[in-house]
Structures are given as structure tokens and as C-alpha cells.
Amino acid sequence: MIRYIILFTFFIISKVHGTSSVIYGGFSYGSILPESTITKYIHDRSSGQSIIDEVLLKSTKKLKNKSFQISFDLLKDGLSEKDQNVLVLSLDNETINFITIKGDNLTRTDIILNFQIIFFNSKNNTLTASIPLEVSKVLNSASPLSKKQLIQELKKMYENEVVQNFFDLANNFILKNKYNNRIGITKIILEENAENLISKKSKKNDIFNKNRFAKSLSSFLSYNNNIAIVPYGEDRTSNTIMLTFENTQRQIRLPNPDYHIHLTIRGFKSVLFKEGNIDEQWIYGSYVKIKIFQPDLNKVYFEEKFKNGLNIEFSKRATKNKESFEWIFYLDSLKVLFDEFSKQTIKINKNWLKSSSDNKKIKKLFTKVSQIYEKCK
């Protein structure tokens, strides 16, 4: 799948005090058209720097990464390949959904922003490293938010959660000019149970949902384990992303992952857990299978099934119409599963593993996964 990234600023790098000096490339759009976003109102440059430009630049200047130093000089000719790494925060997707629970006079708005923190070599047009980042926010209100309100909420997200997460990831990431091993999600499989429910509940197409699942799992894996992940693409035939800047385009080559992750969405299920006179509690279950392997060696390191249950309480008035809004709670359950799975290589959560997996030896398998992550750093 070819993706388009519009770069608005472009700077130079050099070698400083033994660490790589990286060009600050600013904010860009990735596989999303600016005109289809609310972000375009936050990234308005008609009067000079945008709000995003200001907060991102301020955050970047505070970086104290031991593996690289940010350079804000202009691009020059005649630099070697090692002096060409560029840092860009790229918006890959912006999703704004809302559901209305009529019985409770409640509207829930979900804002989900997917980014890639990209380091690429402008000399040989190759991706050096990509760190996925997902930032989300849930807003509750009596009625759907207006466009003006959405703009204000999105502005707050960029000023706070987005730049803070960007800073945390970029500041702790160990940049290398070359990585011996790479990992990436290369396939999303939807089993029949999941596909049937998704087609009924989701307004998006199949490819959109696969990308959404891949980006979500990737962001949790990266954030909790401090690893770069090769971007997922439904169409892997080209192995490139298209960068568009200064009215020119370049095809940036993606490296092939050494370790592949296949994510299977097995299905979703809701069960009435507890019923009172006024309220009901429902468990929203999500079921997946995660496989990590090396196709070149035909070696499987990890292939396990997991489930996760999320307890949601509604008034009985609301449950009469719950099928119209419950898809969002399945997604919540799935996100908790992704987050917990990614944390097991940092610290084992015995209670979660006991409830989510039937394999009594699962803890030993996570040791293998942790070793794979280390090889990719």
C-alpha cells in the first residue's frame, strides 16, 4: 500500500560529539488527506506557524536523547549517507466517532489519532526507523459535540497528550543508522465470527479495520517495549511509502521485517454478568491469536490465543438499544488486551494471564518474546 506524507519543513544533520545529529522535519500528514481531517484547523499556517508547529518544535528542543542530537540547520548538499537522517511526526489517521445512549441521555465521543514517528535517510531514500503512536481521548456529553467543540478538544490533545507522548518516545528511543533485526505486523486475519460482527457494527471497510487493528497493537508494543516497528501495509508488494514535500515526491523503501507478527481477530462476545433493578452489567469479550515467527527460517517462536473481558454498566433504559452502540465497547476490550499483552514482556501480570490464556506455561514464552524485542533494538 503506497502512503503519502507531506513534509512541510526540512532540515540538515551532522555528526556532533559522537552521536548522530538528526534533521528536524516537523509535522506531516501520512496516509490521510489533510482536507478530510479536523487537524487541518489546528495545523493552519495561513498566519504563520500553526499551533502544532509551535508545540512540536518546543517539545523537540527539549529532547536529550543520548543516541542522537536534533539539528535545526537548513539542508545542504554533499552530505554522506550517515548525515541524512530526518525526524518527522506523521499523522497517519484521524478517527472521530460518537455514540448516543438515548436511555441515559449520554453521548460518548472517541477521538483516535494514529501517528508514526519516522526517521528516514534522505540520501538513499530508506526508512531508518518508525515508531507507531496512538493517542486517544473519550469525551462524554449530553449531546453530540459541535465542530467548534471538536476543534477545541483536538487542540488540547495536540498541546498535551500528543506532544508529551511524542517527547517520551523520541527521548527514550535508541537510534541506530542500521538495525540488525526488525519486527513488524505483516498480516491481519479476521475469522468468520469477527468478520460477521465487524461488518454489522463497523461503518468502515475491511482494509480500514485491518489497518486500525495493526496500528493499535503496534503502538502498544512500541510504547511499552521501546522498539521500532516496520509499518503495516495491507498491500506489501511495493515495500515503499511515498513522501511528498516541497512539490516533489520520493519513494522511501521499507525494510522487510526479520520477525513477523500475524494478528488473528477471532471474535467478540457480550454476556450479561449482573442484573439489578435499575442497572445491568455486561462483559464485552475480545478474542485474538498472536503469532511471532521468522519466515526465512520457518521458525515459530510464539503462537497463542488470548481473551479479554471488559465490564460495562448500563441503565436498563439504555440496554434496550445497546446493539446500536456496543461496538465501541468491543474495541475498548480489544485495546485493553493489546496493552496487557505488550506489557507482559516488561512485568508479568499473573492475574491477567490466568484469565486470558489457557496455557499454564505462557510466562516462559514471553521470555522468548522479550529476547526478540531486544534483538530489534
Side-chain angles (χ1 to χ4, degrees):
M1 179 174 63
I2 293 179
R3 303 191 298 168
Y4 295 86
I5 298 180
I6 304 172
L7 304 184
F8 295 102
T9 53
F10 204 67
F11 302 89
I12 165 179
I13 100 176
S14 61
K15 202 74 172 176
V16 180
H17 303 305
T19 61
S20 295
S21 180
V22 177
I23 305 164
Y24 172 67
F27 177 81
S28 74
Y29 290 99
S31 55
I32 187 171
L33 296 174
E35 54 266 29
S36 66
T37 69
I38 300 294
T39 291
K40 68 180 180 181
Y41 298 103
I42 320 298
H43 192 53
D44 179 10
R45 285 176 163 165
S46 59
S47 301
Q49 271 193 325
S50 71
I51 295 170
I52 296 176
D53 286 334
E54 292 174 5
V55 296
L56 184 59
L57 179 60
K58 183 178 179 180
S59 178
T60 304
K61 287 182 176 180
K62 295 179 181 178
L63 290 176
K64 294 182 180 180
N65 190 298
K66 294 181 180 179
S67 65
F68 68 86
Q69 182 171 332
I70 295 291
S71 172
F72 300 93
D73 297 326
L74 295 177
L75 182 66
K76 295 179 181 179
D77 296 326
L79 296 176
S80 64
E81 288 187 1
K82 66 180 181 180
D83 296 324
Q84 290 289 331
N85 277 321
V86 181
L87 169 63
V88 173
L89 176 65
S90 172
L91 177 63
D92 241 3
N93 193 62
E94 175 192 288
T95 303
I96 301 177
N97 292 325
F98 73 91
I99 59 169
T100 299
I101 304 176
K102 296 181 179 179
D104 291 343
N105 295 319
L106 174 68
T107 294
R108 167 175 158 165
T109 302
D110 282 60
I111 303 176
I112 304 170
L113 303 174
N114 290 103
F115 300 91
Q116 295 282 351
I117 301 174
I118 293 176
F119 295 87
F120 73 93
N121 189 301
S122 63
K123 186 79 171 182
N124 57 24
N125 292 337
T126 58
L127 182 76
T128 305
S130 181
I131 310 169
L133 168 63
E134 180 174 297
V135 181
S136 60
K137 191 173 187 178
V138 177
L139 303 164
N140 293 318
S141 56
S143 58
L145 299 178
S146 66
K147 183 177 178 180
K148 184 177 180 180
Q149 288 173 314
L150 285 174
I151 292 172
Q152 287 302 311
E153 292 296 340
L154 206 60
K155 176 176 176 289
K156 293 177 186 177
M157 287 182 69
Y158 276 100
E159 291 175 332
N160 298 287
E161 293 93 340
V162 173
V163 293
Q164 185 59 56
N165 279 277
F166 164 79
F167 177 85
D168 291 342
L169 285 168
N171 202 48
N172 294 319
F173 181 70
I174 300 175
L175 178 66
K176 299 178 182 178
N177 285 323
K178 183 179 180 181
Y179 291 84
N180 294 326
N181 296 283
R182 297 179 184 269
I183 191 168
I185 297 174
T186 56
K187 192 171 186 179
I188 302 293
I189 303 164
L190 302 179
E191 290 189 356
E192 185 177 0
N193 179 291
E195 197 164 22
N196 290 340
L197 184 65
I198 290 171
S199 63
K200 292 178 182 178
K201 304 294 184 181
S202 176
K203 298 178 182 179
K204 304 296 184 179
N205 60 35
D206 182 63
I207 292 178
F208 175 89
N209 281 301
K210 287 184 176 182
N211 274 281
R212 183 175 182 176
F213 297 144
K215 289 173 182 176
S216 186
L217 176 57
S218 293
S219 66
F220 283 114
L221 291 177
S222 182
Y223 188 86
N224 290 320
N225 295 277
N226 194 28
I227 54 173
I229 295 181
V230 177
Y232 168 81
E234 181 63 20
D235 179 7
R236 277 278 171 188
T237 56
S238 63
N239 280 329
T240 63
I241 54 176
M242 184 69 76
L243 303 186
T244 304
F245 58 92
E246 297 182 348
N247 298 319
T248 63
Q249 292 186 344
R250 293 191 194 182
Q251 280 195 332
I252 305 300
R253 297 190 300 274
L254 295 176
N256 290 318
D258 301 280
Y259 297 96
H260 289 219
I261 299 176
H262 284 185
L263 169 64
T264 301
I265 308 296
R266 297 166 52 214
F268 304 92
K269 184 180 180 181
S270 63
V271 178
L272 179 61
F273 175 68
K274 187 177 180 180
E275 183 176 7
N277 294 328
I278 300 175
D279 300 321
E280 292 180 358
Q281 290 184 30
W282 286 79
I283 303 294
Y284 285 88
S286 53
Y287 303 80
V288 306
K289 182 172 72 173
I290 297 175
K291 178 180 179 181
I292 302 175
F293 65 106
Q294 277 184 291
D296 292 346
L297 300 180
N298 195 27
K299 188 172 183 179
V300 177
Y301 297 93
F302 188 96
E303 187 171 13
E304 295 294 325
K305 295 178 180 179
F306 295 92
K307 58 183 180 291
N308 184 72
L310 185 66
N311 192 317
I312 302 293
E313 184 174 305
F314 304 103
S315 70
K316 284 198 168 183
R317 297 186 304 271
T319 56
K320 293 179 181 179
N321 194 37
K322 73 182 184 68
E323 288 188 0
S324 66
F325 57 74
E326 63 183 353
W327 170 240
I328 205 163
F329 298 112
Y330 287 121
L331 293 178
D332 285 348
S333 175
L334 190 61
K335 280 191 176 184
V336 172
L337 193 160
F338 289 163
D339 190 24
E340 287 293 341
F341 172 83
S342 66
K343 289 177 178 177
Q344 300 312 303
T345 46
I346 305 302
K347 184 178 180 180
I348 292 292
N349 183 336
K350 294 181 180 179
N351 292 332
W352 185 79
L353 283 179
K354 186 177 180 180
S355 64
S356 65
S357 173
D358 296 328
N359 187 344
K360 296 181 180 180
K361 298 180 180 180
I362 189 69
K363 288 190 291 184
K364 292 183 179 180
L365 294 177
F366 275 108
T367 301
K368 292 183 179 180
V369 176
S370 180
Q371 292 170 351
I372 290 172
Y373 292 163
E374 287 298 320
K375 291 179 180 179
C376 297
K377 292 182 179 180

